[in-house]
Amino acid sequence: MTRKDSRPAAGAEAIDPDVDLHVPAQRAEPQGRVLAAVAAGGAVGASARYGISLLWPAAPGAFPWATLWINASGCALIGVLMVLISEGGRSAPHPLLRPFAGVGVLGGFTTFSTYALDFSRLLDAGQARSALAYAGLTVVAALGAVWAAASATRLAVRGRGPDRGTDRGTDRVVR
């Protein structure tokens, strides 16, 4: 049995842009620091989510607005963060920034499990219409938030980037 070459095709984007497995030091790098960053960030994000749910609780059978806004705002922040990390700067960000802030804080803040539980509670309370509206609205709000925030961040980054004053891709001066 032959092993397939697992290297990405030339020009293909890496699965994890923070790690280049062709560099022996990165291939053998211990993951303890990354796991600690994710865990610390997750504790921060999950605590913030829990705190918001205590401040803005949903009554049994009521529409779970807090979870919807937590997920939408967290997705917006993920859009901002990913653009800033991958497209926004001249220098590389700290290698633990994405695991801490993206996977940890924002992964712990946004919550599919609470979304599913809220959906189930609405169904159990006989609120099928609200449950379906919540399910659809959350998906639309989350995807729309990440897209809008990423797009706005790209525009903001372009406005202060090295090619400021030119039309990207044409080198034409914008007036």
Side-chain angles (χ1 to χ4, degrees), residues 17-18 28 37 44 50 60 63 66 72 77 91 102 110-111 116 121 123 126-127 130 144 146 148 150:
D18 298 332
V44 170
Y50 181 69
F63 198 88
L77 291 171
S91 62
T110 58
T111 172
R121 285 181 179 159
L123 287 177
Q127 300 292 326
S130 289
V146 74

Side-chain angles (χ1 to χ4, degrees), residues 42-156:
V44 170
S47 296
R49 173 179 31 89
Y50 181 69
I52 291 171
S53 71
L54 290 177
L55 292 172
W56 195 6
F63 198 88
W65 287 106
T67 306
L68 185 139
W69 290 114
I70 286 168
N71 286 334
S73 64
C75 286
L77 291 171
I78 288 170
V80 170
L81 179 69
M82 290 302 117
V83 169
L84 291 177
I85 287 175
S86 63
E87 303 171 23
R90 294 182 186 128
S91 62
H94 191 282
L96 295 178
L97 177 62
R98 191 176 65 149
F100 173 77
V103 178
V105 174
L106 296 173
F109 184 66
T110 58
T111 172
F112 187 77
S113 59
T114 303
Y115 165 67
L117 183 61
D118 288 342
F119 178 80
S120 178
R121 285 181 179 159
L122 285 169
L123 287 177
D124 290 346
Q127 300 292 326
R129 280 184 150 158
S130 289
L132 292 173
Y134 172 63
L137 186 58
T138 297
V139 171
V140 169
L143 293 176
V146 74
W147 174 82
S151 297
T153 304
R154 280 189 191 99
L155 286 174

